Every structure is written in C-alpha cells, then in structure tokens.
C-alpha cells in the first residue's frame, strides 16, 4: 500500500493527536493542523514531530484555524502546492459544551458551530476541488454517539454533531460519482480533555432560574471519569486505529463506524442499522439508488 497524504484537523490533543501519530506510524504523509503552532501549541508541535521521528517517521505540523475561512483556504492551498494532492481529510476539530442548553446564548452557539460544524464545511470545501480534479479522495467526519442520541445538558454539542452527520451523509451520495468517499466515525465516551475544557454558558440569569438543576453539568464534569475500570481503562487509541483502518480500506467503506470503549453499547450501531434501510428506500423511491 502506498502512503497517502492525510490532513487532520484539531490534532493538538485527544483523538486527533493519536490519529496523526498512528497514521505516520503506518507510513502515510501526515499533516497535523491546529491553531497557534508558534505560541500555546508550540510544545505540542515539537512533541508530535519528535514522537514520529523517534519511530523513524515524518510528521508535519501546520497552522490552521478551522473557525477562520482564510486560514483554512491558505493552509490547504499551501499543502496542495507542497504535496501535489490531499488524499484524505480528517475533520476532527471540536468543542464539547456541557451545560444548561437554554443558558447558551446565540453567540455561544455560533462560536460552537464555527468549529464543530462550519469548521468541517470550510475544510471540506477547501479540499474538494482538488479531490474532484484527482477523481479520488476521502472525507472523514468525526462526530460522536451524541450525533445520533441526545443526553440532557449536551444539547448544543449534539445539535452540532447532528448537523455534521447530515452534511457528511449528503456528501456521501453527491460525491460518489467523483470517486470521493465521505464517512462518519462515531466515538463513544472515551477519556479526553473535551469535558474539562467545556465552554460555559453565558446567560447567568437563565442559569439562576434553573436553581439546583444548574448544578448538574458541574457534577457531570467532576465525575466524567468515574466508574472506569482502572485495570482496563477505555483506550482512545481505538478511535485512532479505526480512523487509520478506514483510511487504508480498499473496499467500499461503511457510511458510519461506531467506536465504543470495551464493554459499552449505547445502541448507536443498532440505531444506524435500523435507519439505513429506511434511508436507502427513500433514495430508491426518488430514483437515486445509484448514489447508495
């Protein structure tokens, strides 16, 4: 298998960081993108480059802010000029607000969607002309189990991931004739810094009106990792492995891939399987079965 040119967004931590290291380990040309590579993420940049080098691989770290269209377009243009192509884009950048849904203002939610949804829109649109010209490509959209099911106090996060799932699935159908695949990876509750760095809601008056209910999100954050089996903790590397396997797949990839910690099953896979024939029947009834 020849190595692919893979761009990963949100690679400074979590699934993104693990994914770029795994892909580099497998011999791909990997570009880890993140904000502020000369400032607050300078240490992460060095860690990634050094970790790959220690294993005999090369990994590039590039400045890109998915919330800034000019930043995205500039980064993708530079990378295409440097490498001649981009085979795979992994849309991983994201935030996870945990709080009283009503207390998040429109401005709060717009900032969230700027990263979780529009960040992928910007990155997809930047790479797609190059992929269409090449007649091949892969878009990977990292969503969540909460892109399919809803938990209280994760409403804004779920909304952004539901939106991303809709975008990714529409691309799946529309891009098939160009030889481009669009897929979704749905991770379960693995340890990460997403909950600890959760953006707080801005509307304090609404929070006050919820009284003791407003304390529940804080309790969720405080106990996010409770109940884990210390002898066999959840391995977020499983998500990086799943993404890497999908990048290397030689046959038709599934639209959705669920990745749960060992022993957990929230029913997302069963939900996907139940919905799939309904979706397929709808497209077939409109004469679009060739897009399936």
């Amino acid at each position: 298998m020849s190595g692919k040119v893979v761009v990963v967004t949100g690679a400074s931590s979590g699934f993104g960081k693990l994914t770029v290291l795994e892909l580099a380990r497998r011999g791909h040309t990997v570009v880890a993108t993140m904000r502020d590579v000369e400032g607050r993420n300078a240490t992460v940049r060095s860690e990634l480059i050094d970790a790959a080098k220690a294993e005999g691989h090369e990994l590039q770290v590039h400045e890109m802010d998915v919330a800034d269209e000019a930043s995205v377009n500039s980064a993708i243009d530079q990378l295409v000029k440097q490498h001649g192509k981009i085979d795979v884009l992994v849309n991983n950048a994201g935030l996870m607000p945990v709080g009283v849904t009503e207390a998040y203002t429109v401005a709060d939610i717009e900032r969230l969607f700027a990263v979780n949804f529009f960040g992928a829109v910007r990155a997809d649109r930047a790479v797609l002309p190059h992929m269409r010209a090449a007649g091949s490509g892969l878009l990977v959209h990292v969503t969540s189990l909460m892109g399919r099911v809803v938990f209280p106090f994760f409403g804004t996060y779920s909304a952004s991931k539901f939106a991303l799932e809709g975008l990714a699935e529409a691309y799946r159908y529309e891009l098939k004739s160009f030889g481009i695949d669009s897929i979704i990876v749905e991770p379960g509750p693995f340890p990460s810094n997403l909950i600890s760095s959760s953006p707080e809601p801005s509307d304090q008056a609404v929070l006050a009106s919820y009284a003791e209910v407003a304390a529940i999100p804080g309790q969720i954050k405080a106990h996010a990792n409770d109940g884990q089996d210390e002898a066999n903790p959840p391995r977020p590397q499983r998500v990086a492995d799943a993404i890497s396997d999908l990048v290397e797949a030689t046959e038709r990839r599934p639209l959705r891939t669920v990745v749960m910690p060992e022993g957990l099953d929230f029913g997302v896979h069963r939900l996907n399987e139940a919905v799939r024939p309904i979706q397929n029947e709808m497209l077939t009834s409109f004469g679009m079965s060739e897009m399936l």
Side-chain angles (χ1 to χ4, degrees), residues 53-103:
K53 188 180 296 183
E55 296 183 0
H57 309 298
E58 186 175 346
L59 190 153
Q60 181 179 351
V61 180
H62 202 96
E63 175 81 26
M64 188 165 85
D65 180 358
V66 297
D68 183 330
E69 188 163 349
S71 173
V72 172
N73 290 339
S74 174
I76 295 302
D77 286 346
Q78 290 179 47
L79 293 171
V80 171
K81 288 176 182 177
Q82 179 182 356
H83 299 287
K85 62 177 182 174
I86 293 175
D87 296 304
V88 182
L89 169 66
V90 180
N91 285 298
N92 170 74
L95 304 169
M96 181 187 282
V98 185
V100 174
T101 301
E102 185 189 350

Side-chain angles (χ1 to χ4, degrees), residues 32 40 44 56 63 73 103 115 121 168 189 192 224 232 244 251 253 265:
R40 64 172 182 162
V44 175
E63 175 81 26
N73 290 339
V115 176
V121 172
S192 76
N232 186 30
S244 300
E251 298 181 354
R253 303 172 182 90
D265 178 9

